Amino acid sequence: MIEEAFQRIYGSPPEVVVRAPGRVNLIGEHTDYNDGFVLPAAIDRAITYAGRRRADRRVRVYSNDFQASVEFDLDDIQKDGKNTWSNFLRGVSKFLEGDGHHLAGADIAFGGDVPREAGLSSSAAVEVGATAFWNKLLGLGLDPVYAVKLSRRTENEFVGVPCGIMDQFISALGRRDHALFLDCRDLTYRHVPLRADVKIVVCNSGVKRALAQSEYEVRLKQCREAVAKIAATGRAVKSLRDVQLSDLEAAQGTMDNLLWRRAHHVVSENQRVLEAVRVLESGDLERFGALMNQSHESLRDDYEVSCKELDTLVELARKQDGVLGARMTGAGFGGCTVNLVRADAAESFAQAVGEGYEEALGLKGEIYVCQASDGALVSA
Ligand code: GLA
């Protein structure tokens, strides 16, 4: 599809094609920017880049999704206030150049089927795809973790949106039929196999994540404040990753209830991730599902990043046969839920939740039965 668009726009086939997937997070929400643990999987929806080298320093880029083209010069990369879709590629290109990688001009077409603003990390896929594209086109031999960090830096410093490292990491380093267990402090990771008899089903509420960025910033700040309060009691803590539930109980008098609940979510979520990885590896999917359910409750009540539509989808999901666990996924305030469902029940689950959602709220959700997929840099 993108190859065809490339051919149509530029008149000959591309030299290289690269795919970067979106992601769903199974458990470990709002833990990445607290140096904690996450367990995402890359999904079979991706952003594809197709391109070829040019002899000069111009970059021509066509967005198949926006049906628009822009051009920029590698020697003068500025943010584009109008065609904001081009800023991911601009930022990645600027930071690669800044780090001493000499790029060549290129003709590029990109686009894909990761829904935008749905909490499935389409931006991370666009960034990681851009990084992986340059890597492949020019044979840069980038270290994958460096590529992940550069992609995240683009989101934070060029596009100007705060985020942790989870989304870029999984888009680059996910593996087919596996989830990825990542320690966001030292960036060590391992792939955890997903069984073929369960499916990851994603329910898209269709609610755009309106409050997401401002509330995300508020949560970031609250987490830092909670750390400062706990550190002031004499405990050696750098982030909520270093805090145990017992420390939190002991520090209860030092912070108000709101701050305490924010910290409680993160501290308890980290513990849930560690247990979730253990039980996934031992095959106890019932327990894994129970932990997903607890994660949702904690995000809804302690961290307060859910919303009516997500809660409705979760409640509907839990009534269906074959469901092991259901929770909101991603930053919250709209977007998607993630559900672990027995494979033989996945189709009827998808239908029943879709219908129930429309009946309950008069909204049309979209349901995707997903396949865990390879990241953009797994074979790079
Ligand atoms: C967004 C951010 C991630 C992470 C999640 C919440 O997806 O991009 O870094 O913080 O929210 O878990």
Side-chain angles (χ1 to χ4, degrees), residues 26 65-66 83 88 133 135 149 171 223 245 249 353 371:
L26 297 179
D65 300 334
F66 290 91
N83 295 290
F88 305 99
F133 169 76
N135 190 42
K149 288 181 175 166
S171 182
C223 289
L245 279 174
E249 303 290 341
V353 173
Q371 170 86 39

Side-chain angles (χ1 to χ4, degrees), residues 23 25 28-33 38 119-121 124 152 155 161-168 209 216 299 327-332:
R23 67 98 186 91
N25 188 17
E29 217 64 84
H30 289 279
T31 47
D32 63 350
Y33 54 84
V38 293
L120 298 176
S121 295
R152 177 197 177 187
E155 178 89 25
V161 174
C163 67
I165 200 158
M166 167 171 72
D167 305 342
Q168 290 78 12
R209 301 171 310 123
Y216 193 93
L299 288 157
R327 58 181 288 274
M328 55 154 278
T329 189

Side-chain angles (χ1 to χ4, degrees), residues 132-170:
F133 169 76
W134 284 125
N135 190 42
K136 190 161 174 188
L137 183 74
L138 305 174
L140 299 178
L142 300 181
D143 166 59
V145 174
Y146 164 81
V148 166
K149 288 181 175 166
L150 183 124
S151 303
R152 177 197 177 187
R153 203 179 138 209
T154 299
E155 178 89 25
N156 293 164
E157 295 173 24
F158 196 84
V159 178
V161 174
C163 67
I165 200 158
M166 167 171 72
D167 305 342
Q168 290 78 12
F169 210 99
I170 185 66

Side-chain angles (χ1 to χ4, degrees), residues 266-283:
V266 176
V267 173
S268 63
E269 184 80 350
N270 275 329
Q271 293 202 342
R272 281 189 288 274
V273 180
L274 295 176
E275 189 186 345
V277 171
R278 270 200 310 277
V279 297
L280 187 58
E281 285 175 330
S282 74

Side-chain angles (χ1 to χ4, degrees), residues 214-235:
S214 57
E215 287 295 322
Y216 193 93
E217 280 166 18
V218 171
R219 297 301 178 283
L220 268 170
K221 236 178 96 224
Q222 288 169 332
C223 289
R224 275 193 223 115
E225 260 176 64
V227 171
K229 300 265 189 210
I230 297 164
T233 67
R235 298 269 299 116

